[in-house]
Amino acid sequence: MTASPARREVSLGMPQPPAPDYPAEVRERLAADAAEIVARYPDSRSALLPLLHLTQSEEGHVSRTGIRFCAETLGLTTAEVTAVATFYTMYRRRPSGDYQVGVCTNTLCAVMGGDAIFEELQEHLGIGNSETTPDGKVTLEHIECNAACDYAPVVMVNWEFFDNQTPESAKALVDDLRAGRPVEPTRGAPLCTYKETARILAGFPDERPGAVEASGGAGPASLIGLRIARGEAPHQGRIVHPRAAATGEEGE
């Protein structure tokens, strides 16, 4: 007779108790902000996404307490809120750093150097994907396309753009973030912490002087094709007339 194989024990985990509530003063403050958010929508359920950002502005991630708060505020189940919070990558599910450093590793950024940047940052910081430095300053992750392919490779910090990066410039960037030195995005509003960013994404105004005016728009690399098509910039080679597909005509 052969011995029967050892039985493997499978842990199904223990059911979690109900999430704790926020301290009274925190809940009162968040409830006032939540009421302002909900009032923007004809259907309160539509306020879920900004409410999740609001909870992130308090804790830096969407905790079980935050999920409970959103559910109770909107009359939803915690399962419904969790389904949304886990669907979108913009919501963190665990504590992380003041600065979310995302390296685009989608096709164009990857071949232009994004993969090399991500690998060197992991080694430089001593952390892996979605991990945080011991000082709590930087969380590193690879991210998908941020619609900035004309500036590849792109690194984002709390959703602000840092264009045309190299491994060396990216390492200098995270060093400055960890040291508390001023850091200016290539374009867009001045940098703030992840919690501050989350409150802005929840729909509250950015009160920093000049921040709104600095948000800007598309940069020169994004607009060059439009400028060429309008004859506002020199070009080389053929350009198909915008109506060529309909008329069969082509223009130089």
mmCIF file of all heavy atoms in Angstrom, residues 82-127:
data_model
loop_
_atom_site.group_PDB
_atom_site.id
_atom_site.type_symbol
_atom_site.label_atom_id
_atom_site.label_comp_id
_atom_site.label_asym_id
_atom_site.label_seq_id
_atom_site.Cartn_x
_atom_site.Cartn_y
_atom_site.Cartn_z
ATOM 1 N N THR A 82 -17.401 48.575 -1.804
ATOM 2 C CA THR A 82 -16.149 47.849 -2.021
ATOM 3 C C THR A 82 -15.977 47.483 -3.484
ATOM 4 O O THR A 82 -14.860 47.547 -4.025
ATOM 5 C CB THR A 82 -16.118 46.567 -1.163
ATOM 6 O OG1 THR A 82 -16.229 46.931 0.217
ATOM 7 C CG2 THR A 82 -14.832 45.791 -1.370
ATOM 8 N N ALA A 83 -17.050 47.117 -4.163
ATOM 9 C CA ALA A 83 -16.971 46.765 -5.584
ATOM 10 C C ALA A 83 -16.439 47.926 -6.410
ATOM 11 O O ALA A 83 -15.650 47.736 -7.349
ATOM 12 C CB ALA A 83 -18.346 46.337 -6.096
ATOM 13 N N VAL A 84 -16.841 49.139 -6.061
ATOM 14 C CA VAL A 84 -16.370 50.323 -6.785
ATOM 15 C C VAL A 84 -14.925 50.653 -6.391
ATOM 16 O O VAL A 84 -14.072 50.935 -7.240
ATOM 17 C CB VAL A 84 -17.297 51.522 -6.519
ATOM 18 C CG1 VAL A 84 -16.722 52.800 -7.136
ATOM 19 C CG2 VAL A 84 -18.688 51.238 -7.065
ATOM 20 N N ALA A 85 -14.638 50.610 -5.099
ATOM 21 C CA ALA A 85 -13.302 50.976 -4.613
ATOM 22 C C ALA A 85 -12.221 50.040 -5.136
ATOM 23 O O ALA A 85 -11.070 50.445 -5.325
ATOM 24 C CB ALA A 85 -13.288 50.987 -3.084
ATOM 25 N N THR A 86 -12.576 48.777 -5.377
ATOM 26 C CA THR A 86 -11.586 47.821 -5.876
ATOM 27 C C THR A 86 -11.507 47.807 -7.396
ATOM 28 O O THR A 86 -10.583 47.234 -7.960
ATOM 29 C CB THR A 86 -11.908 46.400 -5.379
ATOM 30 O OG1 THR A 86 -13.240 46.051 -5.762
ATOM 31 C CG2 THR A 86 -11.773 46.307 -3.868
ATOM 32 N N PHE A 87 -12.469 48.436 -8.064
ATOM 33 C CA PHE A 87 -12.470 48.462 -9.524
ATOM 34 C C PHE A 87 -11.490 49.495 -10.065
ATOM 35 O O PHE A 87 -10.801 49.267 -11.053
ATOM 36 C CB PHE A 87 -13.884 48.758 -10.045
ATOM 37 C CG PHE A 87 -13.987 48.792 -11.540
ATOM 38 C CD1 PHE A 87 -14.126 47.623 -12.264
ATOM 39 C CD2 PHE A 87 -13.952 49.993 -12.232
ATOM 40 C CE1 PHE A 87 -14.218 47.646 -13.654
ATOM 41 C CE2 PHE A 87 -14.042 50.031 -13.613
ATOM 42 C CZ PHE A 87 -14.183 48.854 -14.332
ATOM 43 N N TYR A 88 -11.414 50.650 -9.409
ATOM 44 C CA TYR A 88 -10.592 51.755 -9.898
ATOM 45 C C TYR A 88 -9.234 51.772 -9.211
ATOM 46 O O TYR A 88 -9.148 51.741 -7.983
ATOM 47 C CB TYR A 88 -11.299 53.097 -9.656
ATOM 48 C CG TYR A 88 -12.562 53.274 -10.463
ATOM 49 C CD1 TYR A 88 -13.813 53.107 -9.884
ATOM 50 C CD2 TYR A 88 -12.506 53.607 -11.809
ATOM 51 C CE1 TYR A 88 -14.977 53.280 -10.613
ATOM 52 C CE2 TYR A 88 -13.657 53.782 -12.556
ATOM 53 C CZ TYR A 88 -14.893 53.610 -11.960
ATOM 54 O OH TYR A 88 -16.034 53.780 -12.688
ATOM 55 N N THR A 89 -8.170 51.874 -10.017
ATOM 56 C CA THR A 89 -6.821 51.870 -9.454
ATOM 57 C C THR A 89 -6.481 53.172 -8.743
ATOM 58 O O THR A 89 -5.476 53.233 -8.034
ATOM 59 C CB THR A 89 -5.783 51.617 -10.556
ATOM 60 O OG1 THR A 89 -5.899 52.629 -11.576
ATOM 61 C CG2 THR A 89 -5.991 50.252 -11.193
ATOM 62 N N MET A 90 -7.288 54.202 -8.901
ATOM 63 C CA MET A 90 -6.985 55.473 -8.239
ATOM 64 C C MET A 90 -7.297 55.432 -6.754
ATOM 65 O O MET A 90 -6.938 56.361 -6.018
ATOM 66 C CB MET A 90 -7.768 56.619 -8.892
ATOM 67 C CG MET A 90 -9.265 56.436 -8.867
ATOM 68 S SD MET A 90 -10.059 57.672 -9.915
ATOM 69 C CE MET A 90 -11.767 57.151 -9.842
ATOM 70 N N TYR A 91 -7.939 54.373 -6.306
ATOM 71 C CA TYR A 91 -8.225 54.241 -4.880
ATOM 72 C C TYR A 91 -7.258 53.239 -4.255
ATOM 73 O O TYR A 91 -7.171 52.087 -4.679
ATOM 74 C CB TYR A 91 -9.670 53.790 -4.655
ATOM 75 C CG TYR A 91 -10.676 54.762 -5.201
ATOM 76 C CD1 TYR A 91 -11.584 54.370 -6.188
ATOM 77 C CD2 TYR A 91 -10.708 56.084 -4.758
ATOM 78 C CE1 TYR A 91 -12.503 55.269 -6.702
ATOM 79 C CE2 TYR A 91 -11.617 56.983 -5.273
ATOM 80 C CZ TYR A 91 -12.515 56.574 -6.243
ATOM 81 O OH TYR A 91 -13.410 57.484 -6.760
ATOM 82 N N ARG A 92 -6.550 53.681 -3.240
ATOM 83 C CA ARG A 92 -5.615 52.802 -2.538
ATOM 84 C C ARG A 92 -6.362 51.963 -1.517
ATOM 85 O O ARG A 92 -7.277 52.436 -0.863
ATOM 86 C CB ARG A 92 -4.547 53.632 -1.823
ATOM 87 C CG ARG A 92 -3.649 54.438 -2.739
ATOM 88 C CD ARG A 92 -2.671 55.219 -1.893
ATOM 89 N NE ARG A 92 -1.759 56.001 -2.698
ATOM 90 C CZ ARG A 92 -0.822 56.795 -2.191
ATOM 91 N NH1 ARG A 92 -0.710 56.906 -0.870
ATOM 92 N NH2 ARG A 92 -0.011 57.478 -2.965
ATOM 93 N N ARG A 93 -5.917 50.741 -1.351
ATOM 94 C CA ARG A 93 -6.563 49.855 -0.398
ATOM 95 C C ARG A 93 -5.726 49.618 0.851
ATOM 96 O O ARG A 93 -6.129 48.871 1.735
ATOM 97 C CB ARG A 93 -6.888 48.512 -1.069
ATOM 98 C CG ARG A 93 -7.904 48.601 -2.195
ATOM 99 C CD ARG A 93 -9.177 49.333 -1.791
ATOM 100 N NE ARG A 93 -9.759 48.819 -0.563
ATOM 101 C CZ ARG A 93 -10.512 47.721 -0.489
ATOM 102 N NH1 ARG A 93 -10.781 47.037 -1.574
ATOM 103 N NH2 ARG A 93 -11.011 47.328 0.668
ATOM 104 N N ARG A 94 -4.561 50.206 0.926
ATOM 105 C CA ARG A 94 -3.728 50.049 2.110
ATOM 106 C C ARG A 94 -2.907 51.317 2.308
ATOM 107 O O ARG A 94 -2.704 52.086 1.363
ATOM 108 C CB ARG A 94 -2.810 48.837 1.974
ATOM 109 C CG ARG A 94 -1.890 48.886 0.773
ATOM 110 C CD ARG A 94 -1.079 47.607 0.685
ATOM 111 N NE ARG A 94 -0.192 47.625 -0.474
ATOM 112 C CZ ARG A 94 0.605 46.622 -0.812
ATOM 113 N NH1 ARG A 94 0.602 45.513 -0.076
ATOM 114 N NH2 ARG A 94 1.378 46.694 -1.868
ATOM 115 N N PRO A 95 -2.425 51.564 3.522
ATOM 116 C CA PRO A 95 -1.641 52.777 3.772
ATOM 117 C C PRO A 95 -0.426 52.845 2.860
ATOM 118 O O PRO A 95 0.195 51.823 2.553
ATOM 119 C CB PRO A 95 -1.224 52.617 5.248
ATOM 120 C CG PRO A 95 -2.250 51.718 5.835
ATOM 121 C CD PRO A 95 -2.624 50.757 4.742
ATOM 122 N N SER A 96 -0.110 54.045 2.410
ATOM 123 C CA SER A 96 1.045 54.221 1.536
ATOM 124 C C SER A 96 1.609 55.620 1.716
ATOM 125 O O SER A 96 1.258 56.319 2.653
ATOM 126 C CB SER A 96 0.665 53.934 0.081
ATOM 127 O OG SER A 96 -0.545 54.547 -0.259
ATOM 128 N N GLY A 97 2.491 56.010 0.806
ATOM 129 C CA GLY A 97 3.290 57.207 1.027
ATOM 130 C C GLY A 97 2.608 58.522 0.703
ATOM 131 O O GLY A 97 1.510 58.566 0.142
ATOM 132 N N ASP A 98 3.296 59.596 1.062
ATOM 133 C CA ASP A 98 2.796 60.934 0.767
ATOM 134 C C ASP A 98 2.795 61.214 -0.733
ATOM 135 O O ASP A 98 2.022 62.044 -1.209
ATOM 136 C CB ASP A 98 3.668 61.993 1.453
ATOM 137 C CG ASP A 98 3.549 61.958 2.975
ATOM 138 O OD1 ASP A 98 2.487 61.533 3.469
ATOM 139 O OD2 ASP A 98 4.518 62.351 3.647
ATOM 140 N N TYR A 99 3.687 60.527 -1.462
ATOM 141 C CA TYR A 99 3.818 60.763 -2.895
ATOM 142 C C TYR A 99 3.717 59.438 -3.643
ATOM 143 O O TYR A 99 4.522 58.541 -3.431
ATOM 144 C CB TYR A 99 5.149 61.461 -3.207
ATOM 145 C CG TYR A 99 5.257 62.803 -2.520
ATOM 146 C CD1 TYR A 99 5.987 62.945 -1.345
ATOM 147 C CD2 TYR A 99 4.590 63.915 -3.027
ATOM 148 C CE1 TYR A 99 6.062 64.167 -0.691
ATOM 149 C CE2 TYR A 99 4.662 65.143 -2.384
ATOM 150 C CZ TYR A 99 5.400 65.262 -1.218
ATOM 151 O OH TYR A 99 5.455 66.464 -0.579
ATOM 152 N N GLN A 100 2.719 59.349 -4.485
ATOM 153 C CA GLN A 100 2.540 58.170 -5.315
ATOM 154 C C GLN A 100 3.298 58.407 -6.609
ATOM 155 O O GLN A 100 2.903 59.217 -7.442
ATOM 156 C CB GLN A 100 1.060 57.933 -5.607
ATOM 157 C CG GLN A 100 0.807 56.729 -6.498
ATOM 158 C CD GLN A 100 -0.668 56.438 -6.630
ATOM 159 O OE1 GLN A 100 -1.325 56.112 -5.651
ATOM 160 N NE2 GLN A 100 -1.191 56.572 -7.832
ATOM 161 N N VAL A 101 4.404 57.700 -6.772
ATOM 162 C CA VAL A 101 5.252 57.846 -7.954
ATOM 163 C C VAL A 101 4.900 56.724 -8.928
ATOM 164 O O VAL A 101 5.159 55.552 -8.660
ATOM 165 C CB VAL A 101 6.745 57.791 -7.583
ATOM 166 C CG1 VAL A 101 7.610 57.842 -8.842
ATOM 167 C CG2 VAL A 101 7.092 58.952 -6.646
ATOM 168 N N GLY A 102 4.268 57.093 -10.031
ATOM 169 C CA GLY A 102 3.850 56.115 -11.023
ATOM 170 C C GLY A 102 4.686 56.221 -12.277
ATOM 171 O O GLY A 102 4.810 57.306 -12.861
ATOM 172 N N VAL A 103 5.267 55.114 -12.684
ATOM 173 C CA VAL A 103 6.078 55.070 -13.900
ATOM 174 C C VAL A 103 5.253 54.403 -14.983
ATOM 175 O O VAL A 103 4.825 53.258 -14.827
ATOM 176 C CB VAL A 103 7.384 54.300 -13.675
ATOM 177 C CG1 VAL A 103 8.232 54.312 -14.945
ATOM 178 C CG2 VAL A 103 8.164 54.885 -12.502
ATOM 179 N N CYS A 104 5.016 55.107 -16.082
ATOM 180 C CA CYS A 104 4.253 54.519 -17.168
ATOM 181 C C CYS A 104 5.084 53.433 -17.836
ATOM 182 O O CYS A 104 6.200 53.680 -18.296
ATOM 183 C CB CYS A 104 3.846 55.576 -18.190
ATOM 184 S SG CYS A 104 2.842 54.882 -19.526
ATOM 185 N N THR A 105 4.524 52.225 -17.887
ATOM 186 C CA THR A 105 5.204 51.104 -18.542
ATOM 187 C C THR A 105 4.353 50.563 -19.684
ATOM 188 O O THR A 105 4.517 49.417 -20.099
ATOM 189 C CB THR A 105 5.506 49.984 -17.529
ATOM 190 O OG1 THR A 105 4.292 49.602 -16.859
ATOM 191 C CG2 THR A 105 6.515 50.449 -16.491
ATOM 192 N N ASN A 106 3.435 51.396 -20.186
ATOM 193 C CA ASN A 106 2.697 51.019 -21.370
ATOM 194 C C ASN A 106 3.612 51.131 -22.585
ATOM 195 O O ASN A 106 4.725 51.636 -22.490
ATOM 196 C CB ASN A 106 1.458 51.895 -21.522
ATOM 197 C CG ASN A 106 0.285 51.148 -22.116
ATOM 198 O OD1 ASN A 106 0.442 50.389 -23.058
ATOM 199 N ND2 ASN A 106 -0.887 51.355 -21.566
ATOM 200 N N THR A 107 3.128 50.694 -23.741
ATOM 201 C CA THR A 107 4.001 50.384 -24.873
ATOM 202 C C THR A 107 5.021 51.470 -25.198
ATOM 203 O O THR A 107 6.230 51.219 -25.180
ATOM 204 C CB THR A 107 3.148 50.076 -26.116
ATOM 205 O OG1 THR A 107 2.215 49.055 -25.794
ATOM 206 C CG2 THR A 107 4.031 49.635 -27.265
ATOM 207 N N LEU A 108 4.567 52.686 -25.518
ATOM 208 C CA LEU A 108 5.505 53.693 -25.987
ATOM 209 C C LEU A 108 6.469 54.123 -24.885
ATOM 210 O O LEU A 108 7.681 54.211 -25.096
ATOM 211 C CB LEU A 108 4.760 54.903 -26.552
ATOM 212 C CG LEU A 108 5.669 55.984 -27.163
ATOM 213 C CD1 LEU A 108 6.551 55.402 -28.252
ATOM 214 C CD2 LEU A 108 4.836 57.129 -27.710
ATOM 215 N N CYS A 109 5.936 54.412 -23.701
ATOM 216 C CA CYS A 109 6.821 54.796 -22.600
ATOM 217 C C CYS A 109 7.811 53.682 -22.283
ATOM 218 O O CYS A 109 8.975 53.940 -21.961
ATOM 219 C CB CYS A 109 5.999 55.152 -21.356
ATOM 220 S SG CYS A 109 5.349 56.850 -21.361
ATOM 221 N N ALA A 110 7.360 52.436 -22.368
ATOM 222 C CA ALA A 110 8.244 51.303 -22.057
ATOM 223 C C ALA A 110 9.427 51.261 -23.010
ATOM 224 O O ALA A 110 10.586 51.170 -22.578
ATOM 225 C CB ALA A 110 7.461 49.997 -22.103
ATOM 226 N N VAL A 111 9.156 51.352 -24.307
ATOM 227 C CA VAL A 111 10.255 51.249 -25.279
ATOM 228 C C VAL A 111 11.132 52.488 -25.279
ATOM 229 O O VAL A 111 12.304 52.433 -25.664
ATOM 230 C CB VAL A 111 9.720 50.968 -26.697
ATOM 231 C CG1 VAL A 111 8.957 49.671 -26.728
ATOM 232 C CG2 VAL A 111 8.872 52.123 -27.214
ATOM 233 N N MET A 112 10.579 53.612 -24.801
ATOM 234 C CA MET A 112 11.371 54.838 -24.713
ATOM 235 C C MET A 112 12.177 54.916 -23.425
ATOM 236 O O MET A 112 12.921 55.878 -23.217
ATOM 237 C CB MET A 112 10.454 56.054 -24.822
ATOM 238 C CG MET A 112 9.790 56.220 -26.179
ATOM 239 S SD MET A 112 10.953 56.633 -27.484
ATOM 240 C CE MET A 112 11.310 58.337 -27.071
ATOM 241 N N GLY A 113 12.008 53.943 -22.529
ATOM 242 C CA GLY A 113 12.816 53.928 -21.316
ATOM 243 C C GLY A 113 12.049 53.740 -20.033
ATOM 244 O O GLY A 113 12.639 53.710 -18.958
ATOM 245 N N GLY A 114 10.723 53.617 -20.109
ATOM 246 C CA GLY A 114 9.932 53.480 -18.892
ATOM 247 C C GLY A 114 10.271 52.233 -18.096
ATOM 248 O O GLY A 114 10.334 52.280 -16.862
ATOM 249 N N ASP A 115 10.491 51.121 -18.778
ATOM 250 C CA ASP A 115 10.846 49.892 -18.074
ATOM 251 C C ASP A 115 12.161 50.054 -17.322
ATOM 252 O O ASP A 115 12.296 49.611 -16.176
ATOM 253 C CB ASP A 115 10.961 48.723 -19.063
ATOM 254 C CG ASP A 115 9.598 48.185 -19.479
ATOM 255 O OD1 ASP A 115 8.606 48.496 -18.797
ATOM 256 O OD2 ASP A 115 9.541 47.454 -20.478
ATOM 257 N N ALA A 116 13.135 50.690 -17.967
ATOM 258 C CA ALA A 116 14.438 50.900 -17.322
ATOM 259 C C ALA A 116 14.293 51.823 -16.115
ATOM 260 O O ALA A 116 14.921 51.602 -15.065
ATOM 261 C CB ALA A 116 15.429 51.489 -18.326
ATOM 262 N N ILE A 117 13.468 52.863 -16.243
ATOM 263 C CA ILE A 117 13.242 53.778 -15.125
ATOM 264 C C ILE A 117 12.638 53.030 -13.947
ATOM 265 O O ILE A 117 13.079 53.176 -12.799
ATOM 266 C CB ILE A 117 12.327 54.940 -15.552
ATOM 267 C CG1 ILE A 117 13.064 55.859 -16.531
ATOM 268 C CG2 ILE A 117 11.836 55.734 -14.339
ATOM 269 C CD1 ILE A 117 12.194 56.934 -17.144
ATOM 270 N N PHE A 118 11.623 52.216 -14.221
ATOM 271 C CA PHE A 118 10.950 51.495 -13.143
ATOM 272 C C PHE A 118 11.902 50.532 -12.442
ATOM 273 O O PHE A 118 11.923 50.453 -11.207
ATOM 274 C CB PHE A 118 9.744 50.745 -13.702
ATOM 275 C CG PHE A 118 8.892 50.097 -12.647
ATOM 276 C CD1 PHE A 118 8.207 50.863 -11.719
ATOM 277 C CD2 PHE A 118 8.788 48.724 -12.569
ATOM 278 C CE1 PHE A 118 7.429 50.279 -10.737
ATOM 279 C CE2 PHE A 118 8.006 48.131 -11.596
ATOM 280 C CZ PHE A 118 7.332 48.905 -10.675
ATOM 281 N N GLU A 119 12.692 49.810 -13.202
ATOM 282 C CA GLU A 119 13.637 48.863 -12.606
ATOM 283 C C GLU A 119 14.675 49.579 -11.750
ATOM 284 O O GLU A 119 15.007 49.127 -10.644
ATOM 285 C CB GLU A 119 14.323 48.056 -13.709
ATOM 286 C CG GLU A 119 13.391 47.068 -14.408
ATOM 287 C CD GLU A 119 14.048 46.405 -15.602
ATOM 288 O OE1 GLU A 119 15.262 46.649 -15.825
ATOM 289 O OE2 GLU A 119 13.363 45.648 -16.311
ATOM 290 N N GLU A 120 15.184 50.708 -12.249
ATOM 291 C CA GLU A 120 16.211 51.415 -11.484
ATOM 292 C C GLU A 120 15.625 52.072 -10.233
ATOM 293 O O GLU A 120 16.305 52.148 -9.198
ATOM 294 C CB GLU A 120 16.906 52.452 -12.374
ATOM 295 C CG GLU A 120 17.742 51.812 -13.477
ATOM 296 C CD GLU A 120 18.967 52.636 -13.834
ATOM 297 O OE1 GLU A 120 19.413 53.446 -12.989
ATOM 298 O OE2 GLU A 120 19.485 52.461 -14.953
ATOM 299 N N LEU A 121 14.389 52.545 -10.307
ATOM 300 C CA LEU A 121 13.764 53.121 -9.114
ATOM 301 C C LEU A 121 13.524 52.055 -8.052
ATOM 302 O O LEU A 121 13.695 52.317 -6.851
ATOM 303 C CB LEU A 121 12.456 53.814 -9.476
ATOM 304 C CG LEU A 121 12.559 55.185 -10.139
ATOM 305 C CD1 LEU A 121 11.169 55.755 -10.400
ATOM 306 C CD2 LEU A 121 13.372 56.161 -9.296
ATOM 307 N N GLN A 122 13.137 50.867 -8.467
ATOM 308 C CA GLN A 122 12.959 49.790 -7.500
ATOM 309 C C GLN A 122 14.268 49.512 -6.766
ATOM 310 O O GLN A 122 14.288 49.370 -5.534
ATOM 311 C CB GLN A 122 12.473 48.513 -8.200
ATOM 312 C CG GLN A 122 11.034 48.567 -8.665
ATOM 313 C CD GLN A 122 10.579 47.240 -9.231
ATOM 314 O OE1 GLN A 122 9.976 46.417 -8.546
ATOM 315 N NE2 GLN A 122 10.861 47.023 -10.507
ATOM 316 N N GLU A 123 15.347 49.438 -7.525
ATOM 317 C CA GLU A 123 16.643 49.172 -6.905
ATOM 318 C C GLU A 123 17.097 50.351 -6.053
ATOM 319 O O GLU A 123 17.613 50.176 -4.940
ATOM 320 C CB GLU A 123 17.681 48.872 -7.981
ATOM 321 C CG GLU A 123 19.058 48.539 -7.438
ATOM 322 C CD GLU A 123 20.049 48.177 -8.525
ATOM 323 O OE1 GLU A 123 19.651 48.080 -9.701
ATOM 324 O OE2 GLU A 123 21.241 48.005 -8.195
ATOM 325 N N HIS A 124 16.892 51.557 -6.555
ATOM 326 C CA HIS A 124 17.341 52.759 -5.856
ATOM 327 C C HIS A 124 16.608 52.944 -4.532
ATOM 328 O O HIS A 124 17.211 53.325 -3.514
ATOM 329 C CB HIS A 124 17.112 53.973 -6.757
ATOM 330 C CG HIS A 124 17.582 55.276 -6.189
ATOM 331 N ND1 HIS A 124 18.908 55.565 -5.956
ATOM 332 C CD2 HIS A 124 16.890 56.383 -5.802
ATOM 333 C CE1 HIS A 124 19.022 56.777 -5.451
ATOM 334 N NE2 HIS A 124 17.808 57.303 -5.342
ATOM 335 N N LEU A 125 15.296 52.669 -4.542
ATOM 336 C CA LEU A 125 14.475 52.861 -3.336
ATOM 337 C C LEU A 125 14.433 51.623 -2.452
ATOM 338 O O LEU A 125 14.011 51.705 -1.290
ATOM 339 C CB LEU A 125 13.048 53.253 -3.739
ATOM 340 C CG LEU A 125 12.889 54.599 -4.460
ATOM 341 C CD1 LEU A 125 11.469 54.755 -4.978
ATOM 342 C CD2 LEU A 125 13.248 55.762 -3.539
ATOM 343 N N GLY A 126 14.813 50.483 -3.006
ATOM 344 C CA GLY A 126 14.776 49.243 -2.239
ATOM 345 C C GLY A 126 13.373 48.726 -1.991
ATOM 346 O O GLY A 126 13.117 48.077 -0.978
ATOM 347 N N ILE A 127 12.457 49.015 -2.914
ATOM 348 C CA ILE A 127 11.071 48.561 -2.769
ATOM 349 C C ILE A 127 10.592 48.001 -4.103
ATOM 350 O O ILE A 127 11.184 48.260 -5.154
ATOM 351 C CB ILE A 127 10.127 49.701 -2.321
ATOM 352 C CG1 ILE A 127 10.196 50.889 -3.294
ATOM 353 C CG2 ILE A 127 10.467 50.146 -0.914
ATOM 354 C CD1 ILE A 127 9.231 52.014 -2.969
#
